[in-house]
Amino acid sequence: MSELMRPTFDVDLIKKYGGEGPRYTSYPTAPQFSDRFGERDYITVIGESNRLPIPADLSLYVHVPFCSNPCFYCGCNRVITRSKTAGDEFLANIERELELVSPHFDRDRVVRQLHLGGGTPTFLTLEQIERLLALLKQHFPFDPDAEMGLEIDPRSVEPRGVAGLRKLGFNRLSVGVQDLEPDVQQAVNRIHDTATVAAVIGAARAAEFDSISVDLIYGLPLQTTAGFSRTVEAIISLRPDRISLFNYAHLPHLFKAQQRIDEEQLPTPKTKLAIFRNTLERLMQAGYEFIGMDHFALPDDSLVKARQDGSLVRNFQGYSTHGGLDLVSFGPSAISQIHDSFAQNERKLDDWAIRLQEGHIPVARGLTRNTDDTLRATIIDRIMCSGQLNYGDMEKRFELNFGRYFKEELVRLAELADDGLIDWTGQGFAVNGRGLLFLRAIAKIFDAYLSANHTPKGRFSRIV
Ligand SMILES: C[S@@+](CC[C@H](N)C(=O)[O-])C[C@H]1O[C@@H](n2cnc3c(N)ncnc32)[C@H](O)[C@@H]1O
Ligand code: SF4
């Protein structure tokens, strides 16, 4: 198997191109969604998607918003609770949501993929997760080989529970680790030892999960190069199939829990870059391939194959091997994508629950892409997933003259080519090793909602 390209680490390029930018889990990005798009629009777009010549099969997402303790760095939409009834009340509302949404989909549209995210899906007991699965299967037909994944907080599940999840049919899991150093864990209020993580991963291996993934974050308070490399070594020795290495997004004006982080304790930009560089090099040495943005995977993982054969796609969970599916999402803040439309649920748990109890699909905002949006979304997806763009493909599909349509963008691309981030290919361009860390900065050029060279401050995380 041919190796994927390796990213080059260059401090000057990071200074110039490593600033803030959207993560492009969708285009247009969520800040563009409008509250003029509501329940009626959602029902209409589902109906239209049923009538397409080949209606897409489905990917389901359920946002389980609960966590028992607040991690101070957390930027996810979650509710901290120890309530024993929260899980059952949540399931009752999910059942209402399924009853309201599922009848609008034709019954021959099969679920090929399911993901439980959060919050912490394993806040629910195994019995509650079993019930959730039964509800989903009652309302949608499932492919027996569907990819079924969930996010796991190692503190909230026992090895026995991991085997139980496999028996329920889950075949992929992602384990939140972040950092294994005791002082860092203390500073972010998330404490678990390496043995707990090893036990969860060991149980997942024994239960024959198809893919095990680990989340790490660099840039957390009290992190040092030596400390983070101990974390990285411990994780490498557990050999997860995939590793996500997130750059800590510190946006305390948006995420209240982050106000409890002592900014004095954050690593300096220099230390942070050194941590990033060491981790990148060490993961490569250990045989991990760079997929794109923050994702690494072992060579025989399906993400690597998809990256090589061009079938990799991007969705709200990051990179995925399943393209061409409509995404139907449940739970507070969850975002659906049906063909060219996005619909996001009420963000707050109570608002979401009240809308459902009143008999409404709890869509709060959304958007239907116009042709320009779809064209730019296709280009951004190609950059983020394959690192290549062929102008001819876009001209054929969208009936336009690429050079005329993207006159300004091509001028900005030329600067990237001068800086050595991309190579012209004759029919378009390809991102090379120097550009690989800056996929978001390259994609950003085609974002019509960000004016040339300007990204609003404090809305998006740093690219590197
Ligand atoms: C929903 S959590 C994963 C599941 C579970 N709640 C847990 O923490 O183990 C999703 C992931 O987002 C990442 N994350 C959360 N807040 C972040 C932030 N401010 N910056 C970067 N990554 C963040 C963490 O790596 C976390 O594992
Ligand atoms: S990182 Fe995970 S466990 Fe921690 S608060 Fe966020 S969602 Fe909850």
Side-chain angles (χ1 to χ4, degrees):
M1 188 191 303
S2 71
E3 276 191 357
L4 291 182
M5 220 180 330
R6 297 187 158 213
T8 313
F9 186 96
D10 181 318
V11 176
D12 291 332
L13 289 180
I14 290 175
K15 277 195 195 127
K16 184 162 177 188
Y17 293 106
E20 293 175 11
R23 299 175 59 77
Y24 293 117
T25 51
S26 72
Y27 179 84
T29 56
Q32 304 307 325
F33 295 176
S34 153
D35 59 10
R36 287 195 301 272
F37 186 107
E39 179 182 8
R40 285 269 110 225
D41 303 287
Y42 186 42
I43 293 170
T44 303
V45 299
I46 297 173
E48 286 167 0
S49 73
N50 288 329
R51 292 190 292 278
L52 287 173
I54 306 174
D57 280 336
L58 305 177
S59 171
L60 303 188
Y61 173 75
V62 182
H63 191 81
V64 184
F66 308 108
C67 302
S68 311
N69 284 297
C71 307
F72 295 160
Y73 58 80
C74 183
C76 306
N77 179 31
R78 83 282 190 274
V79 174
I80 307 300
T81 179
R82 300 278 172 92
S83 159
K84 292 267 177 271
T85 54
D88 284 334
E89 286 164 16
F90 175 74
L91 288 183
N93 284 320
I94 288 286
E95 185 169 12
R96 288 189 181 98
E97 195 172 5
L98 283 163
E99 280 164 3
L100 290 166
V101 172
S102 65
H104 297 288
F105 286 91
D106 281 352
R107 281 297 290 180
D108 55 357
R109 300 180 69 180
V110 175
V111 175
R112 306 270 179 210
Q113 190 178 42
L114 164 70
H115 186 79
L116 308 188
T120 303
T122 44
F123 176 93
L124 301 177
T125 62
L126 201 56
E127 290 70 33
Q128 286 170 328
I129 294 178
E130 185 172 13
R131 167 131 187 270
L132 172 60
L133 212 50
L135 287 172
L136 293 166
K137 289 186 171 173
Q138 197 182 314
H139 288 87
F140 289 97
F142 268 63
D143 172 356
D145 294 325
E147 184 180 295
M148 291 180 27
L150 85 170
E151 292 163 19
I152 284 197
D153 176 343
R155 297 168 301 174
S156 69
V157 67
E158 292 184 4
R160 246 180 325 130
V162 174
L165 289 167
R166 183 73 190 96
K167 278 203 199 94
L168 290 184
F170 287 94
N171 43 35
R172 343 193 122 241
L173 55 81
S174 120
V175 187
V177 174
Q178 333 306 352
D179 191 299
L180 290 168
E181 291 290 293
D183 57 341
V184 177
Q185 292 192 350
Q186 193 92 44
V188 299
N189 194 38
R190 181 189 175 100
I191 295 167
H192 48 64
D193 57 14
T194 310
T196 309
V197 175
V200 167
I201 292 182
R205 230 348 83 71
E208 298 186 351
F209 274 79
D210 296 341
S211 174
I212 303 168
S213 174
V214 160
D215 291 349
L216 299 176
I217 304 182
Y218 72 98
L220 293 177
L222 299 181
Q223 275 180 341
T224 61
T225 47
F228 201 69
S229 69
R230 282 193 288 274
T231 293
V232 172
E233 289 309 321
I235 295 303
I236 287 175
S237 72
L238 298 171
R239 214 80 193 139
D241 305 277
R242 300 178 185 179
I243 296 177
S244 301
L245 174 68
F246 297 117
N247 182 354
Y248 171 45
H250 187 60
L251 302 164
H253 57 289
L254 295 182
F255 308 113
K256 232 172 153 195
Q258 295 184 352
Q259 291 169 9
R260 296 169 77 178
I261 285 198
D262 181 353
E263 292 185 348
E264 300 271 297
Q265 294 184 342
L266 291 174
T268 61
K270 198 165 159 222
T271 304
K272 208 172 146 180
L273 271 190
I275 292 175
F276 179 61
R277 171 182 218 152
N278 293 348
T279 309
L280 198 68
E281 282 169 2
R282 187 61 192 104
L283 290 179
M284 298 285 164
Q285 246 173 27
Y288 284 87
E289 301 277 6
F290 184 75
I291 299 296
M293 271 184 63
D294 358 71
H295 292 76
F296 299 81
L298 288 174
D300 55 359
D301 188 86
S302 56
L303 274 188
V304 175
K305 292 185 193 111
R307 175 76 165 86
Q308 282 167 326
D309 69 19
S311 61
L312 192 70
V313 292
R314 221 168 142 64
N315 64 20
F316 292 103
Q317 279 93 53
Y319 285 104
S320 167
T321 53
H322 277 61
L325 300 178
D326 276 349
L327 172 67
V328 196
S329 298
F330 301 89
S333 77
I335 302 176
S336 302
Q337 180 176 6
I338 309 297
H339 194 53
D340 268 329
S341 298
F342 300 101
Q344 181 171 31
N345 276 349
E346 295 284 357
R347 282 202 191 98
K348 289 200 177 130
L349 177 64
D350 287 349
D351 295 342
W352 169 78
I354 290 168
R355 287 276 302 275
L356 284 166
Q357 283 153 23
E358 289 171 352
H360 290 287
I361 300 177
V363 170
R365 61 193 73 79
L367 174 152
T368 295
R369 294 203 282 226
N370 60 29
T371 309
D372 179 72
D373 291 333
T374 306
L375 162 65
R376 289 172 187 273
T378 310
I379 291 173
I380 288 174
D381 191 68
R382 288 301 81 216
I383 294 171
M384 299 296 294
C385 295
S386 73
Q388 297 191 17
L389 188 67
N390 182 314
Y391 303 157
D393 291 349
M394 298 301 119
E395 293 187 331
K396 230 181 283 155
R397 181 164 160 199
F398 292 93
E399 296 176 1
L400 51 85
N401 177 310
F402 195 93
R404 265 206 299 275
Y405 198 95
F406 290 113
K407 209 163 150 212
E408 279 174 32
E409 287 82 350
L410 285 172
V411 173
R412 292 165 65 201
L413 277 179
E415 190 184 340
L416 298 192
D418 287 346
D419 282 337
L421 271 60
I422 57 170
D423 299 318
W424 303 117
T425 56
Q427 302 89 29
F429 67 86
V431 179
N432 60 34
R434 278 164 68 79
L436 220 44
L437 293 182
F438 308 108
L439 292 172
R440 289 152 81 180
I442 300 166
K444 213 164 83 165
I445 288 180
F446 289 92
D447 187 334
Y449 298 91
L450 299 177
S451 62
N453 297 320
H454 176 69
T455 304
K457 274 243 154 282
R459 192 189 295 165
F460 302 108
S461 60
R462 278 191 64 83
I463 294 170
V464 178

